[in-house]
Amino acid sequence: MGIGAATESFPTGVELLIGADEIQHRVRELGSVISERYANQTIVTIAVLNGAVVFLSDLVRHITVPMEIDFLAVSSYGCGTRSSGEVRVLKDIETDLLGRHVIIVEDIVDTGRTLDVIHRMLLDRKPASLATCVLLDKPARREVHVHIDHTAFTIPDRFVVGYGLDSAGYYRNLPYIGVVKS
Ligand code: 5GP
């Protein structure tokens, strides 16, 4: 059995939304766009744990400018599936951002509250520039305006899993993005 065969097997209850090949194609495109935009510069990419890890690890392999990787872990307080915007930092980055070109890499923007807080927090550290790169944009539920520089996919208002995104900790390892059927 070939390595790629696992792509076609879906866990019970998960409906395909974006296939593995489509994701890989788009991530490669984003890597090229970012490499051109930051030509002759060095960058710092900051992935928001845990959801952005898979996206970041594929993306960086298509970025050709010198770069560093760091990680930020946050927890959002809120009820149910809705974040309140009260974001607590569980793990801060270790890189000094002063005068650096920084890209925040996030899995999904829903209400926008989490990315808004992270963006303002990192802006306080006086980077030379601060951009946002998100795998999924779910604009239907936006409550706070956040500027997104790079989006891989815009999706409808569905709860998605796979390619780093979880449901109760599971499904992050799926190479595609799917919807958990209720
Ligand atoms: P926001 O603050 O934009 O409402 O929420 C962002 C966070 O909510 C994301 O980083 C992610 O952890 C979670 N989230 C929002 N929508 C989804 C979704 O459809 N699937 C999963 N797995 N997480 C989501």
Side-chain angles (χ1 to χ4, degrees):
M1 183 168 63
I3 292 170
T7 303
E8 302 307 324
S9 69
F10 302 104
T12 313
V14 176
E15 185 185 307
L16 181 70
L17 187 66
I18 307 169
D21 290 347
E22 195 179 348
I23 294 172
Q24 292 304 321
H25 179 78
R26 183 71 186 121
V27 170
R28 196 177 307 125
E29 279 180 350
L30 282 182
S32 301
V33 169
I34 289 169
S35 301
E36 277 173 34
R37 177 174 168 176
Y38 294 94
N40 305 315
Q41 286 165 334
T42 64
I43 60 175
V44 183
T45 54
I46 297 174
V48 184
L49 296 172
N50 295 330
V53 164
V54 178
F55 177 37
L56 177 93
S57 66
D58 280 344
L59 179 68
V60 295
R61 281 177 273 186
H62 299 291
I63 294 177
T64 54
V65 299
M67 59 167 299
E68 290 178 61
I69 294 172
D70 209 333
F71 298 94
L72 180 69
V74 297
S75 77
S76 304
Y77 292 103
C79 9
T81 57
R82 179 158 293 230
S83 73
S84 65
E86 288 175 55
V87 173
R88 186 162 61 106
V89 176
L90 302 177
K91 183 218 166 291
D92 203 346
I93 54 168
E94 289 164 27
T95 312
D96 182 1
L97 301 185
L98 183 68
R100 307 293 307 274
H101 294 287
V102 178
I103 306 173
I104 303 168
V105 178
E106 175 64 303
D107 56 356
I108 185 165
V109 180
D110 188 15
T111 65
R113 293 186 182 279
T114 306
L115 187 58
D116 178 56
V117 170
I118 292 170
H119 190 271
R120 283 192 278 114
M121 185 182 102
L122 297 184
L123 209 52
D124 281 348
R125 301 179 187 187
K126 310 268 186 287
S129 68
L130 183 60
T132 49
C133 177
V134 307
L135 174 67
L136 302 171
D137 182 12
K138 209 196 277 184
R141 299 206 336 150
R142 193 74 88 254
E143 293 174 7
V144 175
H145 171 75
V146 280
H147 179 73
I148 303 174
D149 295 272
H150 307 283
T151 306
F153 301 99
T154 299
I155 61 165
D157 186 10
R158 308 286 299 277
F159 187 82
V160 294
V161 297
Y163 200 67
L165 290 113
D166 76 312
S167 176
Y170 288 93
Y171 302 114
R172 292 193 198 276
N173 56 319
L174 300 180
Y176 49 85
I177 293 163
V179 175
V180 180
K181 290 183 238 170
S182 52

